[in-house]
Amino acid sequence: MDEDALLVVKDVYKDYGDEEVLKGVSFDMQPAETKVIIGPSGTGKSTLLRCINQLTIPDKGRVWLEGEEVTDKSKDINKFRQRIGMVFQHFNLFEHLTALDNVTLGLKKVKKMSKDQATELGMTELERVGLADQAESYPAQLSGGQKQRVGIARALAMEPKIILFDEPTSALDPELIGEVLEVMKDLAESGMTMLVVTHEMGFANSVSDEIIFMEKGVIVEQGTPATFFKNPEKSRTKEFLHKLTELYGEG
């Protein structure tokens, strides 16, 4: 195991009945690294993220964060979840709470911050994602892109060591995707460690340190964007990229 790694995922398996979703996935991440996981739908990418923060319990395999085993059943998983942020495809905001209250809820409930402290930090994070002026708005009053940025602010407010992004733009209208990717790009540049499941190849190419291509529950290939896009080793990777180019063009 790499002693310097922030996150280590080792030999993770997950079945749902007869369906093998993950078949021994292993990789690690260094601090301030951005990794992007790509691959066809239904290939286990979202399940892998959920296994990392134990929203889904793997059948086999282990996960470490900063040298501590997340998968150790004797440990308090909620302590780990404070350090592993999660941004969901469908936002998962509380509709009856304002943007600011969505961001500060965890600070007050989990971190036991005073209301004033939580509000100050919440406003800082809303400002970071460009939404300080929407602090008192409810989710129904926000666009999809704004909702997702509130979701990112909520994750950031907990001051996590790593943020997992589960297809953060796939539920958005095309014209709103850019504003979310811009926030994520800024986060990567600021040194946030990020593991991102996405179909956004432009983001993967320009922001990630490494791309992981998954299919049928295994890692087929991984490498830097330069190598991965220009000179992939595996024929399956070439085929996948070719299909994407046909669908979306070169961009």
Side-chain angles (χ1 to χ4, degrees):
M1 190 169 80
D2 184 344
E3 296 297 322
D4 300 324
L6 178 82
L7 178 76
V8 176
V9 176
K10 183 87 173 136
D11 219 21
V12 167
Y13 284 78
K14 182 65 191 175
D15 296 351
Y16 290 114
D18 293 337
E19 190 188 359
E20 288 184 301
V21 181
L22 296 172
K23 306 174 195 171
V25 174
S26 301
F27 65 93
D28 55 35
M29 290 189 66
Q30 301 298 321
E33 190 174 33
T34 295
K35 283 196 181 181
V36 169
I37 303 175
I38 66 169
S41 295
T43 207
K45 305 183 300 290
S46 295
T47 301
L48 176 60
L49 293 193
R50 294 174 68 86
C51 284
I52 289 170
N53 71 358
Q54 302 287 281
L55 285 173
T56 295
I57 305 299
D59 298 325
K60 249 171 57 183
R62 298 165 80 187
V63 176
W64 290 267
L65 180 71
E66 296 185 301
E68 286 184 85
E69 189 181 346
V70 180
T71 36
D72 179 344
K73 289 181 174 54
S74 69
K75 297 273 176 69
D76 179 0
I77 186 56
N78 291 316
K79 291 275 193 293
F80 286 113
R81 286 201 188 123
Q82 288 183 44
R83 290 149 60 196
I84 304 174
M86 183 94 175
V87 175
F88 299 89
Q89 181 177 352
H90 294 291
F91 325 129
N92 289 22
L93 299 179
F94 291 106
E95 294 293 330
H96 67 290
L97 297 180
T98 64
L100 179 60
D101 286 340
N102 266 286
V103 173
T104 57
L105 186 66
L107 297 176
K108 292 184 281 199
K109 295 268 191 228
V110 180
K111 289 205 163 181
K112 309 292 186 213
M113 273 189 188
S114 71
K115 187 175 182 211
D116 288 350
Q117 272 182 304
T119 298
E120 188 179 341
L121 181 52
M123 285 304 298
T124 299
E125 297 306 348
L126 282 172
E127 196 167 322
R128 192 168 169 185
V129 300
L131 285 177
D133 61 335
Q134 298 292 338
E136 297 307 316
S137 299
Y138 288 87
Q141 300 168 299
L142 300 174
S143 71
Q146 289 172 323
K147 286 183 202 176
Q148 193 55 290
R149 286 189 281 151
V150 172
I152 293 172
R154 175 180 57 188
L156 286 169
M158 298 299 284
E159 300 179 311
K161 297 295 182 180
I162 182 171
I163 301 183
L164 314 177
F165 291 85
D166 187 9
E167 301 203 19
T169 59
S170 62
L172 299 179
D173 292 333
E175 68 268 22
L176 301 176
I177 289 171
E179 67 190 57
V180 173
L181 293 180
E182 199 58 42
V183 167
M184 292 169 65
K185 192 175 176 185
D186 289 346
L187 286 181
E189 285 169 0
S190 75
M192 175 56 72
T193 311
M194 301 180 1
L195 182 61
V196 184
V197 171
T198 187
H199 295 291
E200 296 295 331
M201 293 302 127
F203 175 84
N205 194 11
S206 63
V207 179
S208 70
D209 297 295
E210 183 174 65
I211 294 171
I212 295 172
F213 173 47
M214 277 182 71
E215 186 176 47
K216 295 178 182 167
V218 298
I219 291 176
V220 177
E221 185 166 348
Q222 56 197 108
T224 64
T227 310
F228 188 87
F229 286 111
K230 296 282 185 284
N231 197 18
E233 285 177 16
K234 302 281 198 308
S235 58
R236 180 63 192 104
T237 313
K238 288 175 189 164
E239 188 188 331
F240 180 75
L241 291 172
H242 181 65
K243 282 201 173 125
L244 282 183
T245 306
E246 282 180 351
L247 266 177
Y248 300 114
E250 288 295 338

